[in-house]
């Protein structure tokens, strides 16, 4: 099961976050900081799957954008890895280029869907 979905730039700023389980705001900021630190500090030669506390992180880098998905232990890492790629391909087709302005638009769309 997917626990959260993050889009982060190379400076470590969260551009988009979506949680599929309730997490308090304070815990979210701590979690995001630790997750970002873990993923951004890894080299390109290292695996894109990271064990973190009681779940796994699957991430991919596209230019200056990192997409990180937190999953539970039963989820298939390769399927999530492919899901990330398919998500980016859809964004690329729809918006012609995934940039920060696109992420701001997506954040607004996700916040409207919560209403």
């Amino acid at each position: 099961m997917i626990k959260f979905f993050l889009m982060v730039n190379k400076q470590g700023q969260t551009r988009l976050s979506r949680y599929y389980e309730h997490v308090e705001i304070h815990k979210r900021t701590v979690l995001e900081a630790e997750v970002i630190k873990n993923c951004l500090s890894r080299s390109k030669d290292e695996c894109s799957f990271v064990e973190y506390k009681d779940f796994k992180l699957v991430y991919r880098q596209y230019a200056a954008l990192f997409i990180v998905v937190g999953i539970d232990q039963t989820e298939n890492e390769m399927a999530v890895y492919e899901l990330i790629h398919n998500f980016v391909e859809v964004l690329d087709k729809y918006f012609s280029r995934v940039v920060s302005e696109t992420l701001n638009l997506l954040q607004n769309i996700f916040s409207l869907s919560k209403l």
Side-chain angles (χ1 to χ4, degrees), residues 8-62:
V8 180
N9 63 16
K10 270 192 173 177
Q11 290 76 32
Q13 299 168 319
T14 303
R15 305 301 297 154
L16 177 76
S17 65
R18 181 73 174 186
Y19 288 82
Y20 299 98
E21 292 180 346
H22 176 72
V23 179
E24 295 175 16
I25 298 295
H26 171 69
K27 290 183 179 179
R28 283 184 186 189
T29 55
V30 172
L31 174 72
E32 288 176 19
E34 291 175 0
V35 165
I36 291 167
K37 181 182 165 198
N38 278 339
C39 293
L40 267 63
S41 65
R42 296 173 63 88
S43 73
K44 290 185 179 186
D45 297 332
E46 293 182 272
C47 181
S48 294
F49 311 140
V50 181
E51 294 278 337
Y52 178 75
K53 294 190 179 181
D54 61 340
F55 52 90
K56 299 176 193 173
L57 303 174
V58 179
Y59 71 94
R60 281 186 92 150
Q61 181 181 1
Y62 294 92

Side-chain angles (χ1 to χ4, degrees), residues 69-105:
V69 179
I71 58 174
D72 63 13
Q73 298 293 336
T74 62
E75 192 68 51
N76 184 334
E77 298 96 339
M78 286 304 292
V80 174
Y81 192 73
E82 188 65 24
L83 172 76
I84 294 169
H85 184 68
N86 289 338
F87 178 72
V88 170
E89 283 184 340
V90 168
L91 290 179
D92 191 46
K93 290 277 188 201
Y94 189 77
F95 293 106
S96 76
R97 225 180 72 175
V98 179
V99 293
S100 290
E101 292 79 28
T102 304
L103 299 177
N104 291 335
L105 176 65

